[in-house]
Amino acid sequence: MGACCTKDYMYGGGYMTYDKDERDSNGADGEEVRRGDDGATIRLRGSSVFTSMFTQRGRKGINQDAMTVWEDFSGEKDLVFCGVFDGHGPSGHRVARHARDVFPTKLAKAIKKQLSQPENGVVSEAFVEPDNNGGNQRNRLVSKWEAALEESFKEFDQELSLDSSIDCFCSGTTAVTIIKQGENLVVANLGDSRAVLCTRGDKHQQIPIQLTVDQKPNIPCEAERIKNCQGRIIAEKEEPDIYRVWVPDADYPGLAMSRSLGDFCLKDYGLISTPQVSYRKLTRKDEFIVIATDGIWDVLTNKQVINIVASARNRSMAAKLVVKLAVREWKRRFPGSMIDDCAVICLFFKNPPLLTKSMTSVGRRNVRSHPELTVSRSCRSMGIDRKRGRDEEEGGPVKRDCCSKEDRKGVQGLSRANSLTRATRYTRTLSHNQRMGKFYHEVEAR
């Protein structure tokens, strides 16, 4: 996390250590595939036909982000589980990796348990957001998933508190997970990582729909719970826009979120591990979902991220491009600051179109007959404008409070130009395209 816990208390005096088997290079590209329970395929990095994954260590030390994709989850064909975990604190990397490795298995067992139980009319206690169809499309299967998610988060956190091998007193992790099968999509969120859906508007424009809420201490409902439990919510002078949770009588831990796994020093003061669960019935207009840690959303908007993914030359590169452009934005916007860890999973809903194959297979001659591919290289088509004044137009640096109008309603994506006939109008854009084309080439070559 970039700003989860106060630096002096959590990291002072060389408290953080590196594990010999957990040192992360900046962006490991190799695939790592395992076999899970019931024949599930587990991906820790790499890509497949419908997924793209990438993580990169920031400049703070060990990479505390972890992610996983399970295909044929729980032994069910076409059932997919995706999870991104963002650790914080001295042992945050251990907590995140432990959640990555243990939580999916626990959830699979909970789903089987729920499906084996007869209907009893009990509604899950998890906070369930209304779906995009007025709440009338939930079926028995989805209700079981929701109950299993709540149960799994609760049990995982309880077992974590008893695990003496991981120091979780002032360390923890966020979690954003999705379960998808057919047209059913269930999202569970804990913390300030985020899930954003890309759908198409009436004019075929790309529209981002944020499916999660960044659970910050200053959100009214979260703040009320914390204050009722005697927890303190204070923003430090050095970071007046970042509100943190503190114990009542000491200056620690300074946690910049209101829900997490672990962080047991705050569990008596309003911090909870109950996820917010939402359901969406997918339609033909929905194209893909991006789940990522806050290292992405701190510097890129929802609109920018979906445009980057949609503009990728091939799906396997999508997550990596998001991370690389986020890192560039960190360097540009906050020069000299410590870049946060980044982890991204892109889950695509449809078969890949032929147009998204790599440019090497398309060939330069075909690029001339498809000029929209050239224009899509520009930062402008991704929604990233590096001209001065853009930050002022958007209200300054991107804030992570997803209660804004843009985050709630979604922002219309920029349509790609499909013609270069107005050459004079696109002269500056095309010169920028050349630089972006070089950047794409550099990224793919790494």
Side-chain angles (χ1 to χ4, degrees):
M1 304 271 327
C4 274
C5 300
T6 52
K7 182 177 179 181
D8 292 340
Y9 180 82
M10 302 307 298
Y11 303 111
Y15 191 13
M16 175 170 284
T17 60
Y18 288 83
D19 293 323
K20 201 169 185 179
D21 59 342
E22 292 181 340
R23 293 179 183 270
D24 285 333
S25 61
N26 278 340
D29 279 301
E31 292 188 0
E32 185 172 348
V33 182
R34 303 175 182 174
R35 281 295 172 185
D37 299 335
D38 302 312
T41 300
I42 305 174
R43 298 184 184 277
L44 301 183
R45 62 175 181 262
S47 62
S48 64
V49 175
F50 293 98
T51 60
S52 177
M53 309 170 65
F54 191 77
T55 182
Q56 179 166 315
R57 185 184 68 198
R59 293 181 176 177
K60 303 176 303 177
I62 195 168
N63 190 347
Q64 294 191 300
D65 288 358
M67 58 185 179
T68 187
V69 172
W70 288 51
E71 301 168 1
D72 296 335
F73 183 61
S74 188
E76 294 287 333
K77 187 176 181 181
D78 298 329
L79 180 60
V80 179
F81 169 87
C82 300
V84 168
F85 308 92
D86 188 349
H88 50 263
S91 301
H93 58 294
R94 292 183 181 273
V95 183
R97 289 186 172 97
H98 185 65
R100 174 198 67 188
D101 297 336
V102 174
F103 181 82
T105 301
K106 184 174 292 297
L107 177 60
K109 293 179 179 178
I111 289 175
K112 290 181 179 179
K113 177 183 175 182
Q114 287 288 335
L115 293 176
S116 66
Q117 292 178 352
E119 294 292 332
N120 54 14
V122 176
V123 180
S124 170
E125 295 179 0
F127 181 79
V128 180
E129 298 278 3
D131 60 43
N132 56 313
N133 294 286
N136 299 319
Q137 298 297 324
R138 280 189 180 83
N139 54 30
R140 173 179 175 273
L141 178 64
V142 171
S143 297
K144 297 292 187 180
W145 286 355
E146 292 169 348
L149 281 162
E150 180 193 9
E151 177 185 343
S152 299
F153 274 100
K154 181 178 179 180
E155 289 187 358
F156 180 87
D157 202 48
Q158 290 176 343
E159 293 178 4
L160 191 62
S161 66
L162 302 175
D163 191 342
S164 60
S165 66
I166 305 177
D167 183 5
C168 300
F169 186 70
C170 287
S171 296
T173 185
T174 69
V176 58
T177 67
I178 63 174
I179 302 175
K180 179 192 173 294
Q181 188 174 43
E183 62 185 11
N184 296 311
L185 180 72
V186 175
V187 182
N189 181 51
L190 196 69
D192 58 0
S193 293
R194 190 181 296 178
V196 176
L197 177 81
C198 176
T199 191
R200 290 284 179 176
D202 295 335
K203 297 182 180 180
H204 203 60
Q205 73 274 28
Q206 298 159 0
I207 300 176
I209 299 178
Q210 187 166 316
L211 302 180
T212 58
V213 174
D214 297 349
Q215 295 161 353
K216 297 297 185 181
N218 57 316
I219 296 177
C221 60
E222 303 291 293
E224 182 180 3
R225 184 189 67 248
I226 293 170
K227 291 178 180 179
N228 288 340
C229 295
Q230 310 306 315
R232 295 184 298 142
I233 302 174
I234 301 175
E236 296 181 297
K237 293 181 180 180
E238 297 80 6
E239 299 172 313
D241 296 329
I242 301 178
Y243 290 87
R244 302 176 183 275
V245 186
W246 312 79
V247 298
D249 52 358
D251 291 333
Y252 75 90
L255 187 65
M257 67 193 69
S258 57
R259 306 190 188 197
S260 72
L261 295 168
D263 299 304
F264 295 105
C265 63
L266 286 171
K267 284 294 165 68
D268 291 333
Y269 304 109
L271 185 76
I272 60 176
S273 58
T274 303
Q276 289 182 323
V277 183
S278 61
Y279 167 72
R280 184 178 180 87
K281 183 178 180 181
L282 298 174
T283 68
R284 293 182 179 179
K285 293 183 178 181
D286 299 330
E287 296 195 345
F288 58 83
I289 186 172
V290 179
I291 60 176
T293 56
D294 67 335
I296 299 296
W297 311 112
D298 282 348
V299 292
L300 297 179
T301 66
N302 297 344
K303 180 181 176 182
Q304 289 170 345
V305 169
I306 67 166
N307 286 345
I308 293 169
V309 174
S311 300
R313 290 174 175 174
N314 55 60
R315 289 183 173 181
S316 63
M317 290 295 300
K320 186 173 185 178
L321 287 172
V322 173
V323 172
K324 295 299 181 182
L325 288 173
V327 171
R328 280 198 168 190
E329 283 297 290
W330 272 96
K331 293 178 180 178
R332 182 185 71 89
R333 190 175 299 179
F334 308 111
S337 68
M338 299 181 71
I339 299 173
D340 198 5
D341 304 325
C342 296
V344 176
I345 295 178
C346 305
L347 176 64
F348 299 90
F349 304 145
K350 303 175 183 178
N351 289 319
L354 296 177
L355 206 59
T356 61
K357 289 185 177 181
S358 65
M359 295 296 288
T360 55
S361 63
V362 174
R364 292 185 179 180
R365 186 171 300 176
N366 288 340
V367 171
R368 297 191 183 100
S369 61
H370 295 284
E372 68 273 12
L373 288 178
T374 307
V375 175
S376 70
R377 296 181 190 176
S378 70
C379 281
R380 186 174 182 179
S381 71
M382 298 175 186
I384 301 176
D385 192 343
R386 299 184 182 278
K387 294 181 180 180
R388 290 184 178 179
R390 178 60 182 269
D391 285 344
E392 287 77 5
E393 293 176 4
E394 293 188 349
V398 177
K399 296 183 179 180
R400 290 176 286 172
D401 184 2
C402 66
C403 295
S404 64
K405 292 182 180 179
E406 177 185 356
D407 291 330
R408 287 193 175 277
K409 297 182 179 179
V411 181
Q412 291 185 348
L414 295 178
S415 301
R416 299 183 193 176
N418 56 12
S419 173
L420 295 182
T421 54
R422 291 169 289 182
T424 56
R425 181 177 179 180
Y426 290 103
T427 301
R428 294 183 179 180
T429 303
L430 290 176
S431 64
H432 195 61
N433 291 343
Q434 296 175 355
R435 295 195 298 271
M436 285 306 300
K438 182 179 180 181
F439 172 69
Y440 270 87
H441 177 74
E442 291 173 353
V443 171
E444 289 182 340
R446 293 174 186 172

